[in-house]
């Protein structure tokens, strides 16, 4: 045993001597010495960096994000905490079909792989819609009134036209069956609409229907209101859920683009998320609108030609009657005039 220990000590001593000799030789060669020092330093830096990165990024601590959709926010926060995740409420909507406080949307989506400590951003359903003051818009043009209502977060429930000396001039405004006056302080839910009583001259009671196809529901409504038209039934395709409705676009309107219509006419809308269907119907609508425009031009030209002929005939008749009164036209001359 003693001999083995002695042999071991001799090997260690010899190893130390070799290392010392190697270091001494390196010191006598500055280039090799510094190269080795740099290599060892870089190795140490890489090793320390790897350890730090593993600690900071929590390597090996991935989590699968639960699906919080339809879950109450308090319950979602408790579940997230167990998985070392954090719930952040970054938006809220008011969807009457859902209970208040329900998670409507989340990012990242359920099933995604994330690191522990990751923030999950959610949109929840408000407990009630925000109330806003109804602006006083009577005495303004329909376009001005529409813009003021939209800025306030409101819309137009219905346009009611009645005979007046000015067309598209707002005569009165109603919200919740109450007339809105200049000093009124009436509040209604954001997104709801008011009833506008609007004037119309009997001879100026028509408008041209704008193109709603390709637009979101809010954009389509705004375009129709501006032209003095009412929005009727709004139908979403079956695959459009409540959260996707803001992204859906009109692909069908009951009264065609560029058609003539009486002020106050109701236009029904259908909306979808199908881009191909929207593009197809948009092109078809443009072709029909072009045909209607050309037809309108032809009808206007025919009307002008008819007026021109009538004016010419009236001029000839007036000239004939004047000459006949002075006795300068014979029966033969009368035949020549016509």
């Amino acid at each position: 045993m003693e001999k083995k220990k002695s042999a071991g000590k001799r090997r260690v001593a010899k190893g130390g001597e070799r290392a010392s000799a190697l270091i001494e030789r390196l010191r006598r060669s500055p280039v090799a010495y510094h190269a080795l020092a740099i290599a060892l330093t870089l190795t140490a830096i890489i090793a320390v960096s790897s350890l730090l990165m593993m600690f900071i990024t929590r390597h090996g601590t991935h989590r699968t994000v639960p699906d919080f959709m339809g879950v109450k926010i308090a319950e979602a926060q408790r579940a997230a905490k167990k998985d070392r995740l954090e719930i952040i409420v970054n938006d809220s909507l008011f969807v009457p079909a859902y209970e208040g406080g329900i998670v409507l949307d989340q990012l990242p989506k359920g099933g995604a792989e994330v690191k522990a400590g990751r923030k999950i951003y959610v949109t929840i359903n408000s407990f009630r819609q925000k109330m806003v003051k109804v602006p006083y818009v009577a005495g303004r043009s329909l376009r001005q009134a529409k813009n003021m209502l939209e800025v306030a977060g409101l819309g137009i429930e219905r346009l009611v036209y009645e005979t007046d000396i000015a067309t598209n001039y707002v005569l009165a405004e109603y919200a919740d069956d109450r007339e809105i006056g200049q000093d009124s302080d009436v509040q209604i839910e954001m997104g709801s609409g008011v009833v506008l009583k609007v004037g119309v001259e009997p001879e100026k009671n028509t408008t041209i229907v704008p193109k709603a196809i390709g637009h979101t529901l809010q954009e389509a409504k705004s375009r129709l209101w501006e032209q003095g038209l009412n929005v009727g039934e709004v139908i979403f395709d079956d695959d459009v859920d409540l959260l996707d409705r803001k992204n859906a676009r009109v692909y069908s309107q009951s009264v065609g683009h560029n058609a003539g219509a009486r002020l106050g006419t109701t236009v029904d809308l259908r909306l979808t998320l199908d881009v191909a269907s929207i593009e197809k119907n948009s092109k078809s609508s443009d072709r029909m609108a072009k045909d209607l425009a050309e037809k309108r031009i032809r009808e206007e030209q025919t009307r002008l030609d008819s007026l021109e002929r009538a004016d010419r005939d009236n001029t000839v008749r007036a000239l004939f009657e004047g000459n006949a009164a002075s006795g300068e036209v014979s029966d033969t001359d009368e035949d020549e005039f016509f």
Side-chain angles (χ1 to χ4, degrees):
M1 181 65 71
E2 291 294 331
K3 290 181 178 180
K4 288 183 179 180
K5 287 183 178 179
S6 297
K9 288 179 179 179
R10 286 195 296 271
R11 284 196 296 270
V12 170
K14 287 181 180 179
E17 290 174 358
R18 291 194 198 98
S20 298
L22 179 60
I23 293 171
E24 187 61 30
R25 286 198 300 272
L26 288 171
R27 284 177 176 173
R28 287 197 296 268
S29 176
V31 174
Y33 179 78
H34 287 97
L36 179 61
I38 292 171
L40 291 173
T41 302
L42 289 174
T43 302
I45 291 173
I46 292 171
V48 172
S49 298
S50 297
L51 290 172
L52 288 174
M53 286 296 292
M54 289 179 65
F55 175 76
I56 293 171
T57 60
R58 298 178 176 89
H59 184 69
T61 58
H62 285 80
R63 297 287 187 274
T64 300
V65 178
D67 186 359
F68 297 118
M69 302 280 283
V71 178
K72 286 190 175 182
I73 183 61
E75 183 180 340
Q77 288 171 330
R78 286 193 296 270
K81 189 175 182 180
K82 290 180 181 179
D83 287 329
R84 295 175 63 191
L85 300 171
E86 184 181 358
I87 294 283
I88 302 294
V89 179
N90 71 331
D91 198 6
S92 64
L93 300 172
F94 180 70
V95 183
Y98 292 116
E99 187 179 351
I102 293 293
V103 176
L104 300 175
D105 196 15
Q106 69 178 80
L107 190 68
K109 299 291 186 181
E113 292 291 327
V114 299
K115 302 285 177 50
R118 174 68 186 269
K119 292 180 173 62
I120 311 299
Y121 296 93
V122 302
T123 298
I124 66 171
N125 192 40
S126 299
F127 288 89
R128 64 168 295 176
Q129 181 61 290
K130 180 181 178 181
M131 304 296 287
V132 295
K133 182 179 178 180
V134 179
Y136 177 66
V137 299
R140 299 178 182 275
S141 70
L142 176 58
R143 177 176 294 183
Q144 290 175 322
K146 177 196 73 80
N147 291 339
M148 290 176 65
L149 290 168
E150 288 178 336
V151 168
L154 302 172
I156 298 174
E157 178 185 339
R158 190 171 71 259
L159 295 170
V160 180
Y161 278 90
E162 65 176 38
T163 303
D164 191 67
I165 59 173
T167 296
N168 282 331
Y169 178 87
V170 179
L171 305 175
E173 173 188 14
Y174 301 87
D176 289 340
D177 297 324
R178 291 175 290 178
E179 184 170 359
I180 303 300
Q182 197 159 7
D183 300 322
S184 297
D185 188 21
V186 177
Q187 292 191 342
I188 59 177
E189 290 185 351
M190 178 180 285
S192 54
V194 302
V195 177
L196 297 181
K197 184 182 290 185
V198 190
V200 57
E201 300 172 72
E203 67 278 8
K204 296 181 180 179
N205 64 347
T206 59
T207 186
I208 301 299
V209 179
K211 184 179 181 181
I213 294 176
H215 293 277
T216 64
L217 178 58
Q218 186 55 47
E219 292 169 346
K221 284 181 175 181
S222 184
R223 292 169 71 87
L224 292 169
W225 290 334
E226 190 163 310
Q227 292 302 117
L229 299 165
N230 280 305
V231 178
E233 189 176 14
V234 176
I235 302 173
F236 290 89
D237 280 359
D238 293 339
D239 61 342
V240 182
D241 61 32
L242 292 170
L243 289 178
D244 284 332
R245 287 188 173 187
K246 63 180 181 297
N247 299 318
R249 295 182 179 272
V250 177
Y251 72 96
S252 175
Q253 56 188 95
S254 60
V255 185
H257 166 213
N258 220 11
R262 293 179 63 87
L263 290 169
T265 295
T266 297
V267 180
D268 300 329
L269 304 173
R270 299 184 71 94
L271 294 94
T272 186
L273 294 171
D274 186 347
V275 176
S277 177
I278 295 169
E279 291 179 350
K280 177 182 176 181
N281 284 277
S282 178
K283 291 178 181 179
S284 176
S285 175
D286 289 341
R287 288 193 296 269
M288 292 178 65
K290 183 180 178 181
D291 292 341
L292 287 170
E294 292 174 349
K295 179 181 178 182
R296 191 175 295 115
I297 290 172
R298 290 194 299 271
E299 289 175 347
E300 180 64 15
Q301 188 59 53
T302 300
R303 187 183 69 84
L304 291 175
D305 291 344
S306 177
L307 289 174
E308 184 178 344
R309 286 194 300 271
D311 287 342
R312 186 171 62 249
D313 291 345
N314 289 336
T315 300
V316 172
R317 185 173 291 104
L319 179 60
F320 171 76
E321 291 174 352
N323 290 338
S326 62
E328 297 177 359
V329 179
S330 64
D331 292 339
T332 304
D333 293 331
E334 181 178 348
D335 292 337
E336 292 176 352
F337 269 108
F338 295 97

